[in-house]
Amino acid sequence: MVERMTPERVREIVAMEDRPVLRNLLITDGYHRLTLALAELFGRADFAWPIFAVWASKQAGRFIREEELGACVSALLAAHLPGVLDDLSLRAPIQQTQRRIAHHVMGGNTIVFAELGVAFAAFSLAFADPAARTEERLADVVGLFKEGPSLPDRLTVAHDGTLIREQRGGQTLVREALTYYFAALHERSPAARAELMLLANGLCGLHEQTRLQPYIAGALAAPLEELGAADELSLAGQALAAGVRRAATELMMTMALPSGQVLRLGCDLPAPPGQPLWPDELARLEHPRLVRLTEQLGTYEARERGLGVVDRVEAFVLDRLDLADRTAQGSGADDWARLDDRMRYIFEYFRSRQRDASLLVSPFSGPQAEELAAGRVPTGPL
């Protein structure tokens, strides 16, 4: 029996300031536990936002542990700036840059879990009993979050590289998302239910990415601010900064999925292996609020709005013959530091993988999960 996540347990994990690596691993595991709890509520046809957060948090851990970024930076500098790592005066600035990037990624990973982890823990507990799925209980869950627009956090970088964070704005998008998840619990039509889930997932994604904006932009700006702006490094520092930023960007825009597929977020989103790009239930979007959201994010294609019978037959035939385009054209992000670029890709990713059961697998092996349950960082690759 998998232990359920509770709002109290989410807050305990968030408070582990002195153990950032373990905290990230527990956040990743926490998202997986929430995914399983929500799958009990909704069934295993459509999955809620935490299933995507599992793999994003796992990628964040690679930055927080600093191991992979350091190796990537070393390989890139060895290829393009040979000898630079032999200069002892540059090692400390490079390490400080990696540490600053890690602090930004760590901060973003934590603040999202602190907010949406509580939201989904409260939702899954409140509605575990079908008899309790009432409007009154929904009002209690929604009431945990305050009205107001989603705004980026205000960040100040301390001398030691740690972040002083100030949350701004409100959580209207989270409140709205919870109401659509609740509506999905009562929806019998598979297509309508899938659209409600996608709408709720998209609203959660937009809220969290808005709050994450200064963390992502700050992580990618760190190389220039730490290295390129140093007078003693001059042109060499500029080149070094560009190399470190390139390595960080490459890692930040790469995400491994359990299906064995590796997503390059700067490229157009590919279809899941052996599947069409969009599941049938989400091939044509009709819910008015969902359509408005897709238009806001720049993902809605005009052809979806008015497919005639002939067009639908042609699309069906092309898809079955594997002649249709297997990528979401124009979804690739040009600049991951831009909110609109990220959200275009993220929403298409949600739409494409919302019914992908391969994402349900645990992010950790059995022995690793046991170590985490005992409050220890597992040994070996994570």
Side-chain angles (χ1 to χ4, degrees):
M1 179 69 176
V2 177
E3 178 189 0
R4 283 187 177 272
M5 290 298 296
T6 65
E8 293 73 25
R9 179 54 179 156
V10 170
R11 296 185 186 104
E12 288 175 2
I13 294 172
V14 169
M16 297 173 63
E17 295 284 348
D18 59 334
R19 304 190 69 184
V21 171
L22 178 61
R23 177 174 60 182
N24 161 257
L25 297 173
L26 290 173
I27 287 173
T28 303
D29 182 64
Y31 280 135
H32 177 62
R33 292 173 186 271
L34 287 170
T35 296
L36 296 179
L38 291 162
E40 291 181 15
L41 267 64
F42 293 109
R44 300 199 171 198
D46 292 280
F47 301 107
W49 178 88
I51 199 171
F52 304 112
V54 172
W55 308 104
S57 182
K58 192 172 178 70
Q59 179 67 16
R62 297 185 172 101
F63 283 90
I64 292 168
R65 294 189 297 274
E66 299 186 35
E67 57 198 22
E68 192 166 344
L69 178 59
C72 188
V73 167
S74 297
L76 188 146
L77 295 180
H80 297 281
L81 293 171
V84 71
L85 292 177
D86 296 330
D87 187 339
L88 296 180
S89 67
L90 298 181
R91 291 186 180 179
I94 292 173
Q95 291 174 349
Q96 178 60 29
T97 299
Q98 293 175 192
R99 194 167 301 115
R100 183 166 170 183
I101 292 171
H103 281 307
H104 277 82
V105 175
M106 185 191 314
N109 183 235
T110 306
I111 62 107
V112 171
F113 187 66
E115 188 171 42
L116 292 183
V118 166
F120 285 103
F123 187 95
S124 62
L125 290 173
F127 302 122
D129 179 2
R133 296 172 187 176
T134 65
E135 294 285 348
E136 291 76 16
R137 185 65 65 88
L138 173 64
D140 291 339
V141 176
V142 170
L144 297 173
F145 304 92
K146 64 180 181 179
E147 291 279 8
S150 303
L151 294 175
D153 283 11
R154 182 178 286 120
L155 297 186
T156 303
V157 181
H159 291 299
D160 62 356
T162 58
L163 301 180
I164 302 170
R165 308 188 292 264
E166 178 189 348
Q167 183 175 353
R168 302 186 300 148
Q171 299 156 312
T172 295
L173 290 180
V174 177
R175 292 166 59 95
E176 188 182 4
L178 291 170
T179 64
Y180 286 120
Y181 283 124
F182 182 77
L185 282 175
H186 300 277
E187 179 57 60
R188 294 181 178 274
S189 164
R193 185 186 181 101
E195 288 201 41
L196 288 168
M197 293 290 286
L198 178 59
L199 174 54
N201 289 340
L203 292 171
C204 286
L206 180 56
H207 176 78
E208 55 108 2
Q209 288 298 319
T210 300
R211 283 202 64 196
L212 281 175
Q213 179 59 28
Y215 299 90
I216 295 171
L220 294 179
L224 183 60
E225 293 175 0
E226 292 285 343
L227 295 168
D231 292 338
E232 66 271 19
L233 297 181
S234 63
L235 291 178
Q238 295 287 340
L240 183 58
V244 176
R245 188 183 193 279
R246 177 179 169 186
T249 303
E250 175 67 21
L251 282 179
M252 196 170 288
M253 295 180 66
T254 302
M255 186 163 58
L257 299 181
S259 59
Q261 192 172 23
V262 177
L263 298 183
R264 307 291 178 183
L265 312 186
C267 302
D268 287 344
L269 176 73
Q275 301 293 325
L277 182 59
W278 313 126
D280 290 343
E281 292 79 1
L282 296 172
R284 186 180 184 218
L285 307 181
E286 296 181 349
H287 191 290
R289 179 67 177 97
L290 178 57
V291 170
R292 291 200 304 275
L293 178 63
T294 60
E295 290 174 330
Q296 175 187 345
L297 300 178
T299 63
Y300 189 80
E301 299 179 21
R303 63 178 175 80
E304 295 178 287
R305 198 190 302 243
L307 282 176
V309 174
V310 174
D311 299 317
R312 287 198 294 271
V313 170
E314 180 182 5
F316 177 84
V317 172
L318 288 175
D319 185 61
R320 292 304 180 270
L321 293 177
D322 204 27
L323 298 176
D325 191 355
R326 307 297 289 175
T327 64
Q329 291 189 349
S331 58
D334 296 321
D335 183 354
W336 201 245
R338 288 175 55 93
L339 175 62
D340 56 349
D341 262 19
R342 291 199 308 278
M343 276 309 304
R344 185 175 62 249
Y345 188 97
I346 288 168
F347 182 84
E348 300 288 42
Y349 167 54
F350 288 178
R351 181 182 175 189
S352 178
R353 267 70 175 181
Q354 181 175 291
R355 299 172 69 87
D356 185 353
S358 72
L359 300 184
L360 268 179
V361 302
S362 173
F364 302 110
S365 68
Q368 288 176 331
E370 290 176 3
E371 289 291 290
L372 288 176
R376 296 187 292 268
V377 175
T379 59
L382 294 168

